[in-house]
Amino acid sequence: MNTAEAIVAALIAHGLNTIYALPGVHNDPFFDALFKASDRIRTVHTRHEQGASLMALGAALATGKPQAYCVVPGPGLLNSATGLLTAHGTNAPVLALIGQIAQAAIGRGYGHLHEIRDQRGILSRLVDFVARIHTPADAPALVNAAFRAMASGRPGPAALECAIDVWGRSGPVPDIAAPLPETPSLIDEDAVADAAKRLGAAERILIVVGGGAQDASTEVRELSGLLQAPVMGFRRGRGVIDGRDPFSVVLPLGHELWREADAVLAVGTRLFQQMQWGIDDTLQVIRVDADPEEPERFRKPAVALVGDAAPILRELIDALATRNRSRHSRRDEMLERQGKLRARLAKLAPQIGYLEAIRAELPEDGIFVEEVTQMGFAARLLYPAYKPRTFISPGFQDSLGWGYAAALGVQDARRDLPVVAIAGDGGFMFTATEMATAVHHRIPLTAVVFNDGAYGNVRRTQAERFGNRIIASDLSNPDFVRFAESFGAAAERARNPVELRAALKRALARREGPSLIEVPVPTLPSPWEFIMLPKVRG
């Protein structure tokens, strides 16, 4: 078989059933191989390389499983870089298959089509593993190495390059078989015992969760009950425990609890609170991280537990059986504090109304994809996610415009569930042309576009901090309803939360293709006083 066929066979052996892609001359034999294997692997083609990488990212975040995309080199790679960078920031297993110029010409500066200086070096800054495939025989082992890298330690993206004249080259290929299961990492029993002793003796514990806790939801809930510990998630940690649980806390209440805590259990999170909210020697931090370099990045913790969160937390639960102090229920306290927080957050009433409409129409396991917009910032505080992997966020990269294309990947990978994506008018237009992809591939995503005619956050900053000197923030928009309808999508306009809920009911009942709901809004109340919170320790 040729190199392209060997790569496709290896992808299938690793369980991949979809690839997001935009074809081009550098990768023609690869697409021919995909055609030959179309009964085993789907090809979803996009209108822009950024759309391909973001769809793969969304699919990876929604499923927790590796996803792949393929684009041409040079400008194709650079156009897709937003998806790769965000995959790195969200620890998403995304495999980038990138074309190359002729193998003998790489690095020589001849000026070939899409030639770029040191493409592999550029990729190495965006992914955790990168390699170039030189022969058909290389393909299975390098695909296997890429998948192993994406699953080892801290999950993350990987990339493979293949030159234009190597894809179609034929030669002997080793047997391609399903990969061997990963060997479970060893758990440091002494460290678990130390953590259990400290947590068992602590009086007021706060659990902080990030994206690394999404697959340890059961264990986090059990620990919350054992320790009577509230659980705080901001972006990537939402949904680890049910947002209706009084022990599920968002940033402002977490800020209060951080000040009061004598111990913090941090699971799968960068724990930025150490920098923003401060820390002192009276606060014991116990960390659970996949990456051995993470625990001491900001400050050495009292205990570092390195490995997969779920088995480590299960060991910790067992160790607490004989070490946990007797604890009174904090349920009434948490109900009272949640009520006080709701009263404070009431100043965000416009956002609350719209987000409540979305929550009311999405089923418990329906997926919400947020965007870098006024409504998205508020959602991180106000939208209750009930289950893991049902609140999809770009994490610390906060890539403006990521949302619509990423949500298409979420919905494509989880066609069994309804998905609602929100966007502002500014961010939506970054990848709005991928509505053509949604129509072509009949992806039943519902998008809600909140239209205030501006990059709202930028405009507010200019008004409040720069003497109302407004520049480069007002927008000229299409009629979003007619825009969506021109692609063949269903579309309507909703002017208040009641109308939005009715529109969502109609949109979510359709499963044959995409829908768009435009919501014209005025300038919305600022959420930043509830997000950018001051130092309270140290």
Side-chain angles (χ1 to χ4, degrees), residues 246 253 332-346:
L253 184 47
D332 289 344
E333 173 201 345
M334 295 310 302
L335 285 169
E336 180 182 356
R337 298 181 82 150
Q338 294 280 14
K340 290 179 179 178
L341 176 61
R342 282 194 296 274
R344 290 173 57 200
L345 291 172

Side-chain angles (χ1 to χ4, degrees), residues 198 261-263 278-285 299-300 302 537-538:
R198 293 171 184 270
D262 57 352
I279 191 168
D280 53 47
D281 292 338
T282 65
L283 181 62
Q284 300 182 85
V285 175
R299 177 187 173 106
K300 186 175 181 178
R537 298 188 80 129

Side-chain angles (χ1 to χ4, degrees), residues 135-323:
T135 68
D138 291 342
L142 287 177
V143 170
N144 188 54
F147 273 80
R148 189 167 58 249
M150 289 190 291
S152 301
R154 181 198 291 269
L160 294 172
E161 287 185 314
C162 192
I164 189 172
D165 56 335
V166 172
W167 285 117
R169 187 175 298 167
S170 296
V173 174
D175 289 340
I176 299 172
L180 296 173
E182 292 289 326
T183 303
S185 55
L186 296 177
I187 296 175
D188 186 336
E189 302 291 346
D190 291 338
V192 169
D194 189 8
K197 180 180 178 181
R198 293 171 184 270
L199 290 170
E203 293 185 13
R204 299 184 71 82
I205 301 165
L206 174 64
I207 300 174
V208 181
V209 294
Q214 287 291 336
D215 295 325
S217 174
T218 299
E219 291 77 13
V220 170
R221 288 198 307 270
E222 286 188 40
L223 279 166
S224 175
L226 280 172
L227 300 170
Q228 285 299 292
V231 179
M232 185 187 74
F234 176 40
R235 292 176 294 216
R236 302 263 296 117
R238 303 298 305 283
V240 170
I241 72 167
D242 191 320
R244 296 165 292 193
D245 189 322
F247 282 78
S248 172
V249 304
V250 294
L251 221 55
L253 184 47
H255 182 251
E256 294 178 14
L257 294 163
W258 179 273
R259 181 180 59 232
E260 302 167 6
D262 57 352
V264 166
L265 173 61
V267 184
T269 170
R270 288 179 172 84
L271 200 64
F272 70 89
Q273 291 82 10
Q274 293 179 103
M275 295 186 297
Q276 293 192 359
W277 298 352
I279 191 168
D280 53 47
D281 292 338
T282 65
L283 181 62
Q284 300 182 85
V285 175
I286 291 89
R287 297 195 54 144
V288 180
D289 296 283
D291 182 356
E293 295 184 5
E294 186 63 36
E296 298 186 27
R297 195 176 302 279
F298 299 122
R299 177 187 173 106
K300 186 175 181 178
V303 183
L305 299 166
V306 176
D308 293 340
I312 287 175
L313 295 184
R314 179 55 56 193
E315 293 273 352
L316 184 57
I317 290 166
D318 293 343
L320 278 165
T322 57
R323 295 175 173 87

